[in-house]
């Protein structure tokens, strides 16, 4: 052993100190994530510095929680920038939570296939009537109308631990809205036919109650407002995995939630003098309106040059 090598850790020593296996360290070297400080030109043996122990431990921890290779590499590059690493960890945690929720829903569906006579578990929610109405308005436009794609002819009602998510898509547009509320029961989802969604929207216009009670089961959804119930039978289709679509489109790109008033947005879009842009798509020119954020981070209509227009959305 040379004098230089005596000051370095062998690959076996780093493996013991970090919790990574020797084969994992070789893999991360080949991947360019954690290269050794020195490689013996004759034997190919890898040597590491003492300063590489903590990065190796970071890699081991991220590996244990299933962080993708690209995420591990980015975390290692930014390990001296805690805010960036925390952002990566938060994004990965959201993926894990989404995956767990997906698995629970799929296992529930599988159980019903194995034992159709199994007792149906229901989940009860108490939601703001006006918030639920706004969520329906936010997704209704994206419901598909192609008779060849009946799976898209409804709105997905997806119960979460602290509320419900509504999702609709016609393949070209995807709309997602969320309503927080009180939830009693396990996660469950149902695909409401568009006719039932429209009846629900009319029901939510009833005065006399601030809340809507929703009971979601695999075979029915019942919404009660001001003592008047509406029961709908879900469509017998598996809705597309919209989360996977969003992840494929966004990857690890940071995303931001921008709350806004749906009624104000509709009023602004239908008012006289709405600024119109012209954009070409696949050789066809379309008239479109543009939305943007003002200096306070609030959603506004903008003109074709990106200047905030009057009649914005509060």
């Amino acid at each position: 052993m040379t004098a230089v090598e005596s000051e370095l850790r062998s690959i076996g020593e780093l493996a013991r100190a970090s919790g990574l296996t020797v084969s994992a360290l070789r893999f991360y070297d080949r991947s360019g994530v954690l290269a050794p400080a020195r490689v013996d030109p004759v034997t190919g043996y890898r040597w590491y510095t003492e300063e590489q122990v903590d990065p190796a431990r970071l890699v081991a921890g991220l590996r244990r929680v299933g962080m993708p290779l690209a995420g591990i590499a980015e975390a290692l590059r930014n390990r001296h920038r805690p805010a960036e690493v925390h952002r990566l960890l938060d994004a990965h945690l959201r993926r894990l939570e989404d995956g767990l929720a997906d698995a629970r829903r799929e296992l529930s569906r599988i159980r019903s296939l194995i034992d159709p006579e199994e007792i149906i578990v229901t989940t009860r929610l108490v939601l703001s009537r006006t918030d639920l109405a706004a969520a329906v308005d936010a997704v209704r436009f994206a419901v598909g109308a192609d008779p060849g794609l009946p799976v898209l002819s409804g709105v997905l009602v997806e119960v979460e631990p602290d509320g419900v998510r509504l999702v609709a898509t016609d393949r070209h547009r995807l709309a997602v809205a969320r309503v927080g509320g009180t939830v009693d029961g396990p996660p469950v989802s149902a695909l409401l036919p568009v006719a039932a969604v429209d009846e629900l929207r009319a029901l939510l216009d009833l005065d006399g109650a601030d809340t809507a009670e929703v009971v979601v089961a695999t075979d029915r959804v019942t919404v009660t407002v001001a003592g008047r119930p509406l029961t709908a039978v879900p469509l017998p289709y598996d809705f597309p995995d919209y989360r996977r679509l969003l992840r494929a489109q966004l990857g690890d790109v940071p995303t931001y939630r921008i709350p806004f008033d749906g009624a104000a947005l509709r009023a602004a879009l239908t008012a006289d003098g709405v600024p119109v842009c012209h954009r070409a798509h696949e050789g066809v020119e379309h008239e479109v309106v543009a939305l943007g954020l003002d200096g306070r981070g609030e959603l506004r209509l903008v003109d074709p040059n990106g200047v905030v227009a009057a009649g914005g959305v509060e």
Side-chain angles (χ1 to χ4, degrees):
M1 178 183 294
T2 67
V4 172
E5 290 171 349
S6 66
E7 299 174 358
L8 300 176
R9 285 179 178 260
S10 69
I11 191 170
E13 290 172 332
L14 184 63
R16 289 190 292 273
S18 66
L20 289 169
T21 63
V22 169
S23 60
L25 285 169
R26 293 192 184 110
F27 168 75
Y28 288 119
D29 175 19
R30 292 192 300 270
S31 302
V33 173
L34 188 64
R38 183 176 183 275
V39 178
D40 189 295
V42 177
T43 64
Y45 205 83
R46 296 167 172 85
W47 299 90
Y48 298 82
T49 65
E50 184 67 27
E51 289 73 22
Q52 290 182 288
V53 174
D54 283 345
R57 287 173 176 166
L58 174 61
V59 171
L62 295 173
R63 176 188 175 98
R64 281 193 292 271
V65 298
M67 176 74 81
L69 181 62
I72 293 176
E74 187 173 354
L76 210 57
R77 287 194 302 270
N78 291 283
R79 65 183 182 277
H80 300 305
R81 302 171 62 190
E84 287 298 312
V85 178
H86 284 308
R87 180 185 66 78
L88 290 170
L89 296 179
D90 290 343
H92 182 58
L93 183 58
R94 286 193 296 272
R95 286 193 295 269
L96 293 176
E97 290 171 342
D98 288 346
L100 180 58
D102 290 344
R104 283 174 173 161
R105 280 187 290 272
E106 188 63 19
L107 286 173
S108 177
R109 189 182 70 85
I110 291 171
R111 291 181 198 278
S112 68
L113 293 174
I114 294 173
D115 186 4
E117 302 302 321
E118 183 180 8
I119 296 175
I120 297 173
V121 178
T122 60
T123 298
R124 296 179 180 272
L125 304 91
V126 177
L127 310 170
S128 162
R129 177 177 63 87
T130 55
D131 288 351
L132 182 55
V136 172
D137 290 341
V139 303
R140 174 61 179 86
F141 77 95
V143 174
D146 185 347
L149 291 170
V151 67
L152 304 183
S153 62
V155 171
L156 177 67
V157 177
E158 190 174 64
V159 178
E160 299 179 330
D162 57 351
V164 64
R165 191 182 300 265
L166 304 184
V167 187
T169 181
D170 60 1
R171 292 194 306 165
H172 307 289
R173 302 170 296 182
L174 173 66
V176 182
R178 190 182 182 285
V179 183
T182 302
V183 178
D184 180 15
V188 65
S189 62
L191 182 58
L192 284 185
V194 68
V197 173
D198 291 340
E199 290 184 50
L200 167 61
R201 183 61 185 85
L203 181 67
L204 292 171
D205 279 336
L206 291 177
D207 292 328
D210 294 330
T211 61
E213 181 184 81
V214 183
V215 179
V216 182
T218 52
D219 66 337
R220 69 180 66 86
V221 176
T222 302
V223 182
T224 304
V225 178
R228 293 184 58 178
L230 168 67
T231 299
V233 177
L235 294 170
Y237 308 119
D238 291 330
F239 195 78
D241 186 351
Y242 71 93
R243 286 187 174 88
R244 183 176 299 172
L245 173 63
L246 290 176
R247 288 194 293 267
Q249 293 293 327
L250 297 176
D252 288 326
V253 176
T255 58
Y256 306 92
R257 294 183 182 274
I258 306 171
F260 63 90
D261 185 328
L265 176 58
R266 288 193 301 275
L269 291 173
T270 56
D272 294 335
V274 174
V276 176
C277 312
H278 290 83
R279 295 289 185 270
H281 177 67
E282 296 183 350
V284 179
E285 190 167 290
H286 302 272
E287 284 190 349
V288 299
V289 295
L291 298 174
L293 300 180
D294 63 13
R296 295 181 298 175
E298 295 180 347
L299 194 63
R300 291 287 189 272
L301 289 174
V302 299
D303 71 10
N305 297 315
V307 179
V308 174
V313 182
E314 298 290 347

